[in-house]
Amino acid sequence: MYTFLLVVGLVVGIAYIYHSVVVKGKRCKSKAKLHGKTVIVTGSNTGIGKMTALDLARRGARVILACRSKQRAEAALADIKRESGSNEVVFMQLDLGSLKSVRSFAETFLKTEPRLDLLINNAGIYMPGTTEDGLGMMFGVNHIGPFLLTNLLLDRLKECGPSRVVNVSSIGHNFGTIDFNCLSTHKELGVGNSATDVFNIYTNSKLCNVLFTHELAKRLQGTNVTCYTLHPGAINSELFRDVSKVFMILMKPFLMFFFKDTVAGSQTTLHCALQEGLEPLSGCYFSNSTVRNLYPKARDSAVAKKLWEVSESLSGLSS
């Protein structure tokens, strides 16, 4: 009996250490205050986006919650104001699946807000479908929408520099590919609705985030704007809210133990947004608040440039 209890205690101890060190990961160490700074966080009504916005509000920033759902955003707005003690938090509607909405958001923001110091492209979805513009849903929301938004706001970012763009990607980008023939034919990163097809399309969209950041960094050389992309960790959040409810119920114990909570999941985003001295690392990819090496396909300059040009065309920037 003593041996059994000893083994159980050892297993529990190892599990606790694993969860505390490996799962929770590093915390953002920056003590930066952001009074007088303005920040946009997309998808900030839930999950790591909400925790990111809360942290930035606590630091004194004027935080714009750029979200699709007015109801969910207003609830998050009330939470963030209450928990941060700041009234410098506002909601502006943004549907990244609609190019019209992205342009309207940018136009309204530029007319009403004199500064932009930090743009965090956090929003992302994991679901099949098609946007109102005829793009694949994940391609449109996870890449084209943020691509267009960033480009429409770049001049303001340059005016207010030093400023940063942070693109939330995923380790899933390692499984991604960019099929330009599929993009040309279907305006999508893949076809099919099976679980495997959906996963592949999602990872392809996350590879787009990394390649976009790679090319953006090149185009920003000589300016006072830098950009970074990251894997936030495996997060117990609402990203997969549109998949099977039975599957999510079965996965809940696993998610609670092996996945980061949303506070831990926001730390690498905050590191890229706030950590002093990151400017020489513009264009780099981070995980657990640390620069990581990329596979060749994720730093292929020719593919990144071609994706940028295709994205300009599909978003209407080049017309």
Side-chain angles (χ1 to χ4, degrees):
M1 184 65 178
Y2 175 77
T3 303
F4 173 76
L5 291 174
L6 186 64
V7 171
V8 170
L10 182 62
V11 170
V12 170
I14 292 171
Y16 176 80
I17 293 170
Y18 175 82
H19 186 267
S20 299
V21 177
V22 178
V23 176
K24 283 192 173 182
K26 296 180 182 178
R27 296 190 69 84
C28 173
K29 296 178 180 178
S30 174
K31 305 298 182 184
K33 296 299 181 183
L34 301 175
H35 300 283
K37 306 290 187 181
T38 299
V39 178
I40 294 173
V41 186
T42 69
S44 44
N45 58 355
T46 188
I48 63 174
K50 183 179 178 182
M51 293 302 100
T52 300
L54 174 59
D55 186 284
L56 298 172
R58 283 173 171 160
R59 293 171 186 265
R62 179 169 174 79
V63 180
I64 311 298
L65 308 182
C67 310
R68 179 179 59 84
S69 168
K70 181 178 180 182
Q71 181 179 2
R72 289 161 64 92
E74 288 180 342
L77 178 68
D79 290 344
I80 293 170
K81 282 186 172 182
R82 182 182 68 254
E83 293 180 38
S84 68
S86 171
N87 284 319
E88 288 294 303
V89 187
V90 298
F91 160 60
M92 291 179 61
Q93 196 156 31
L94 170 65
D95 180 357
L96 289 165
S98 163
L99 298 179
K100 180 180 178 181
S101 175
V102 175
R103 290 183 179 277
S104 176
F105 173 91
E107 181 180 359
T108 301
F109 176 86
L110 293 172
K111 284 180 178 177
T112 59
E113 298 288 338
R115 294 194 61 84
L116 180 57
D117 302 274
L118 182 58
L119 171 61
I120 300 179
N121 289 312
N122 163 82
I125 60 167
Y126 187 101
M127 62 179 291
T130 306
T131 72
E132 67 178 46
D133 303 291
L135 304 172
M137 183 64 74
M138 286 186 279
F139 177 56
V141 173
N142 295 353
H143 171 62
I144 290 294
F147 173 86
L148 176 60
L149 179 67
T150 302
N151 276 279
L152 293 175
L153 298 176
L154 267 184
D155 285 345
R156 182 61 53 84
L157 283 162
K158 291 174 182 176
E159 292 168 7
C160 299
S163 53
R164 296 183 182 183
V165 178
V166 178
N167 296 318
V168 178
S169 180
S170 163
I171 197 172
H173 81 271
N174 287 320
F175 304 100
T177 58
I178 308 297
D179 183 343
F180 287 106
N181 289 328
C182 187
L183 274 179
S184 176
T185 304
H186 301 286
K187 296 184 180 179
E188 174 60 292
L189 293 164
V191 294
N193 289 307
S194 71
T196 301
D197 293 331
V198 174
F199 174 77
N200 288 337
I201 294 168
Y202 174 76
T203 61
N204 295 345
S205 74
K206 295 290 99 180
L207 178 58
C208 286
N209 298 152
V210 178
L211 290 168
F212 167 45
T213 307
H214 179 82
E215 178 66 15
L216 179 62
K218 287 189 169 187
R219 293 173 182 249
L220 290 174
Q221 286 178 0
T223 74
N224 51 6
V225 184
T226 52
C227 59
Y228 313 89
T229 188
L230 65 104
H231 168 56
I235 312 298
N236 184 9
S237 72
E238 295 187 28
L239 174 64
F240 301 101
R241 59 183 174 267
D242 295 296
V243 303
S244 166
K245 287 184 172 58
V246 174
F247 174 78
M248 292 307 297
I249 291 170
L250 294 173
M251 286 290 289
K252 189 171 183 178
F254 179 81
L255 292 173
M256 290 177 67
F257 186 79
F258 290 101
F259 282 41
K260 292 180 179 180
D261 61 28
T262 52
V263 173
S266 67
Q267 297 305 304
T268 301
T269 299
L270 292 166
H271 176 83
C272 291
L274 302 171
Q275 187 61 44
E276 298 81 359
L278 288 190
E279 287 76 15
L281 300 176
S282 184
C284 286
Y285 169 78
F286 290 74
S287 178
N288 198 22
S289 299
T290 304
V291 177
R292 305 294 184 183
N293 292 326
L294 291 165
Y295 288 121
K297 68 179 178 182
R299 47 185 169 85
D300 187 318
S301 295
V303 173
K305 183 174 184 293
K306 185 172 182 180
L307 177 64
W308 184 286
E309 291 167 351
V310 170
S311 301
E312 279 186 323
S313 176
L314 291 174
S315 66
L317 278 176
S318 63
S319 59

